[in-house]
Amino acid sequence: MNFFRSTTRRSFVKGGAGLGLVTLTNSCFKNPTQQTAKERRLNLYHWRYYTGKNTISDFEKQFNVRVTTDYYASNDELFGRLTATPGQYDLIVPSDYMIETLIKNTMLDRIDSRRLKNLDNIEGLFRNQWFDPQNEYSVPYMWGSNGFGRNRKLVPSPVSDWDSLLAEKNRGKVGIIDDFRFTLGAVLKHIGLDANSISEVDLNKAGRYLLGKRQVIRTFSQDTPKEQLIAGDLSLAYGAGGDILQAAVENPALAYDLPSAGTIIFQDGMCIPKGAPNLDVAYDFIDFILRPEVSADITNTVLYGNPNHRARQLIRPDILNNESIFPSDDYIKNKCSHIHWIDDSAKALYARIWNEIKAG
Amino acid sequence: MGSLTRKLGRVMGAPGALLLLASMVACVVALTLPFYRGGMASTSDALWRYVSSSFLWLAVLRSLSWAILCSLSLAFVAILVVKDLRRTSIRFGWQFIFVASPLFFGTVNRLFGLVAILRDYGPLNNTLVSTRLLRVPLPILDTEWASILGFLLLSAPIPVGAMLVALRDTDGRFTRAAQDLGASDDQTFWLVLVLQGERALTAAASIVSILICGDFLTPRLLGGGGTAYLATLTIDSYLGPSRSLTLSAILSILLLATTTLSVLLTRIILRLCIRVRAEWAGRKDGRTRGIRLPWTALWLFANYLPPLAVVIYSFNRSAYSVFWRGFSWAAYNDIFFTVDPPERRALFVTMIVAMAASVLAITMSVGLAMALRDSSAMEALLKIAHRWQLLAPEVILGIGFATGVSVFRIRLGLSTLVLSHVIFITAFDAAILGIGLKPTLLRLLEVAEDLGAHSRDLYLRILLPLLQPYLIAGFMFGLLLSIDNYVVTQFSRGARDITVPTLLAATVRHGLDPSANALATLAMIASLTFGLVAVRFVIGAEAAAKVNHWRKLK
């Protein structure tokens, strides 16, 4: 008898707790848009904090869509997740070399440019790039550069190249991003070689350059070391421009310098992965982002460069006139390089040399 | 083992056993596929030179030695802390909560709490400089010492919790007998209690060893990324810039071997150390010599400081957890009162998955733990699958799961997320329950069976009540593993199932803002509340009632 009584009590308690929890969570998490019967949805896969404050909610309101955003931390994570979950995401925003990789792996849907009314807003400089020569698979979103973050109080004079970044007087105060393509690429450029070189001789030269200055570097940060720059643990850093400029909002002593000899830039594009369940909404979203006011709002928030020429007049003048966010067309065209796709054995070569540098 | 007990183990353990075996098969397939796909020719010269370079083997050595050293020292500190805790009059339940709750803040946030404390101009260095103990701030952050500190702090509560649970399960009469026979406190503790808790302690040290070997976040966030650990290299070869299937398969096998070796060595050395110490306690005349550090105070201070930083920074007005810019409720306000913020969705998904997975896993693992005790050819295979599940790198488990699921053309979503969590939690739960299945308990089952007990009685009246502390520990540990898991989750969740760790991983790029800290605080409160309610009303109350009933029968 005891057994039966106790099971009923247990199941009662269990059921009761479960029920209570469900009602509790339902009442807490009820969403006003949840009730509409035939609602349009968008499964967006995006970088964290890479839109304006109200970009998504404005889109939801104007197009009567419910957007579910998921976030990735790196292009490679995006690739891994996309192979694991085919046919689930509607829109992704990878960077240039990842767009190239995704096209190579036939993971992207062709974009029908006739369905995008605002496509003409994109400046010619950012169209038909090498990774997507006819812009068949991607629509430019934002672009940015990698450069030097500097704490003006600790390092008063601008840093214009890698020699002055890794000078002995900055020992233990420099952080660089732990991404061998962006970092070795920039060093290759600095010593006058191709930023995408996969020749071992070239890479060894870049490796030797960094190895000689290894003791100056304190941090190999997974991403731009924003917080350490803000806190003053680092006085110099090599990382993504927008991130450094965002950190400068928190700590006004921070500045962003571009290497005078040129640097690595990246361009992120909106792409539709194969088998996207809500194709129409994805096109609506791309067209919405292409609107000048929406695009300008994103740049005003995240401080990255904008490929939308009609958005320029809506961008805050202090951002628009900042040479390091909007460098001259000549600098972009002639001095900057993008990262290109490389094969597995080239990756192993890069990884080995990079890890040998880190080991010192 | 009696035939009925064996049958019980086989029937109740079948679902768990099937999952473990399926997982192992899928993982092995996923691991060997890259070699078959490209043939061995795909292992190019560049790959070979990567594998034979010195930094990789240094990383292996580093992972191995720090995993062993950290787990051993944590085990010994745990003994001292438990010794102090047992002197207090705090009830077991509260002691357990007190010890375990820092874990529930999540790895990423605790590490960031530690970063905030250790900064050159952070509270620790400021205090040291202003009290003139140091002249210039000590740059601890971004050194290997910071990683080691991180390893130690992250898993510090695990051996203490295990020891507390094991000692609760010991028979008080042994202690009393020893004291009556004139043994000193020290002697009673080492010779009676610690030796009885040894199984639990070695198991906890093995778990810590596994966790440290697989930890790629600490060297990145605290250690400054300058020193290579095997886990960081492996995760980079899957989800980082060096993403390449062949390289990652090679590194995973290496990581598996390293983890296995570190667990084996940890167990051997720990057993030896405990024996020597107990021997020593038996020989001397009761007085404790040497300097007694206030271990417990130090331990509690170190464990509660990072979570405290997390809670404090969740009320910060600034968008970064660096400077204090005044008190604000904004982060909590955003989570609760704006329309569909990602934090709320993440919290919701994480809690649903953790609840479902930990309940299912603990239910399945009782039978599984029994089946693992059996001795036949099938069980030997099961044992291999179980150890594989415990020791294999998380990425392999994740890739294996995704591969296995894709064969059946199942769409990744909430259900696959729960399933993947159930698989890896079940392995840990079965290991924890295995500690509780002592020879005396198995004998008891046999005797009851001979006396004509029904299998239902064996299960409900003997097994569950006597395993109660281990059930609680296993359940709480499962809850913890689930809310903290990042890698397996990435390979098993659907597009809409965003969880707390995956959201935080994407947020780290921006820097942890107050809402991330608020998220960790809320996740801690929610999971701990759920855990305690479940323990109190489902496992605790039932098992306690059974114990009383059983005692009356006796």
Side-chain angles (χ1 to χ4, degrees), chain A residues 3 29 41 43 48-49 68-70 76-77 81 88 200 218-220 222 226 228 250 347, chain B residues 49 120 142 220 224 240 243 318 343-345 412 460 486 490 493 495-496 507 510 513 542:
Chain A
F3 166 65
F29 295 91
R41 278 181 164 278
N43 293 329
R48 187 89 164 116
Y49 296 113
T68 313
T69 318
D70 189 2
D76 298 282
E77 188 187 318
R81 287 276 302 140
Q88 293 209 20
E200 194 174 343
R218 170 172 175 167
T219 315
F220 289 86
Q222 203 59 32
K226 273 167 128 179
Q228 280 168 293
E250 177 76 6
K347 273 185 202 163
Chain B
R49 289 186 53 195
D120 288 4
D142 301 331
R220 274 182 185 175
R243 184 175 48 77
S318 157
E343 286 89 1
R344 192 164 72 205
R345 203 150 37 88
L412 292 187
L460 286 174
Y486 167 70
Q490 281 297 45
R493 70 194 179 95
R496 290 186 191 159
T507 312
H510 164 84
D513 52 352
E542 283 312 306

Side-chain angles (χ1 to χ4, degrees), chain B residues 5-15 367 370-371 374 376 379:
Chain B
T5 319
R6 183 167 287 157
K7 211 176 101 193
L8 192 66
R10 284 187 181 161
V11 174
M12 302 282 299
M370 302 250 293
D374 214 331
S376 68
E379 269 74 19

